[in-house]
């Protein structure tokens, strides 16, 4: 398993107050690029699938699903919720880049289960401007997966809605549990 420990750090004992995490990431990219060879792929996913999932750092989607570079399109956001922007990305994925299947992955212990739309109100009070987006908080992860499947299946912009499946990833076991859309 790859963790943040694999990102290059300063030499033992060295303290660089002017270094940021972004500097560490850029350094890691330099090492990656030094050994990089063009895989000769285009943007069309080999497996013709788009995966929509939560941005939670505990989800290593490629490892969990046995995917390799180039196999799928991965669309991530807070909660893995199917928002207008997810529909936008799925529409481009299907209509311009050939995907035909959609896999939705939510997970146990999601941070959106502990938020409410009050979060937007608090944010508006703090910054003086109402966010244009909804929090999309939920209490029942299975019901939220069903709602996301329904949003994909009923979108007029998507041409392939017959292979849309939803799952809950258990962050303690690594197992997927399929959710019945009914």
């Amino acid at each position: 398993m790859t963790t943040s420990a694999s990102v290059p750090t300063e030499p033992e004992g060295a303290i660089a107050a002017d270094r940021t995490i972004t500097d560490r990431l850029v350094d890691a990219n330099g090492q990656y690029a030094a050994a990089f060879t063009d895989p000769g792929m285009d943007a069309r996913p080999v497996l013709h699938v788009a995966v929509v999932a939560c941005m939670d750092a505990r989800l290593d989607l490629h490892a969990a699903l046995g995917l390799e570079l180039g196999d799928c399109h991965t669309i991530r956001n807070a909660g893995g919720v199917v928002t207008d922007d997810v529909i936008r990305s799925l529409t481009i994925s299907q209509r311009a880049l050939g995907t035909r299947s959609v896999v939705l992955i939510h997970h146990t212990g999601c941070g959106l289960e502990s938020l409410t739309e009050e979060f937007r109100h608090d944010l508006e009070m703090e910054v003086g401007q109402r966010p244009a987006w909804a929090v999309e908080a939920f209490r029942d992860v299975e019901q939220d997966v069903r709602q996301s499947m329904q949003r994909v299946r009923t979108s007029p912009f998507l041409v392939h809605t017959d292979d849309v499946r939803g799952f809950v990833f258990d962050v303690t076991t690594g197992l997927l549990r399929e959710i019945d859309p009914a």
Side-chain angles (χ1 to χ4, degrees), residues 16-174:
D18 61 336
R19 302 276 299 157
T20 67
I21 187 62
T22 303
D23 293 328
R24 285 179 53 197
L25 299 175
V26 171
D27 291 347
N29 174 256
Q31 292 178 10
Y32 170 79
F36 184 80
T37 56
D38 180 358
M41 300 178 194
D42 69 13
R44 295 175 182 271
V46 173
L47 299 179
H48 306 288
V49 63
V51 178
V52 178
C54 185
M55 66 185 190
D56 191 294
R58 297 171 289 180
L59 278 64
D60 183 349
L61 293 174
H62 277 75
L65 301 174
L67 296 168
E68 299 292 331
L69 180 66
D71 282 349
C72 73
H73 283 161
T74 306
I75 304 162
R76 295 180 80 153
N77 68 16
V81 177
V82 176
T83 61
D84 287 345
D85 194 58
V86 169
I87 293 295
R88 171 189 155 278
S89 293
L90 287 173
T91 301
I92 292 166
S93 178
Q94 286 188 358
R95 291 179 176 264
L97 298 166
T99 60
R100 303 183 70 77
S101 300
V102 178
V103 174
L104 305 171
I105 301 178
H106 288 37
H107 65 91
T108 58
C110 184
L112 283 187
E113 291 176 296
S114 63
L115 291 177
T116 66
E117 290 300 320
E118 189 69 19
F119 180 84
R120 282 180 77 220
H121 174 73
D122 294 345
L123 193 56
E124 180 181 3
M125 294 292 95
E126 179 183 330
V127 302
Q129 182 176 341
R130 180 184 305 245
W133 39 263
V135 174
E136 298 276 357
F138 55 87
R139 294 281 177 248
D140 182 339
V141 68
E142 291 185 13
Q143 183 55 35
D144 201 61
V145 171
R146 285 186 194 95
Q147 177 178 298
S148 289
M149 285 190 281
Q150 185 65 18
R151 286 178 177 174
V152 171
R153 289 187 172 128
T154 59
S155 172
F157 305 109
L158 299 174
V159 291
H160 303 290
T161 59
D162 55 325
D163 188 14
V164 177
R165 294 171 64 185
F167 300 85
V168 173
F169 177 87
D170 188 313
V171 298
T172 60
T173 66

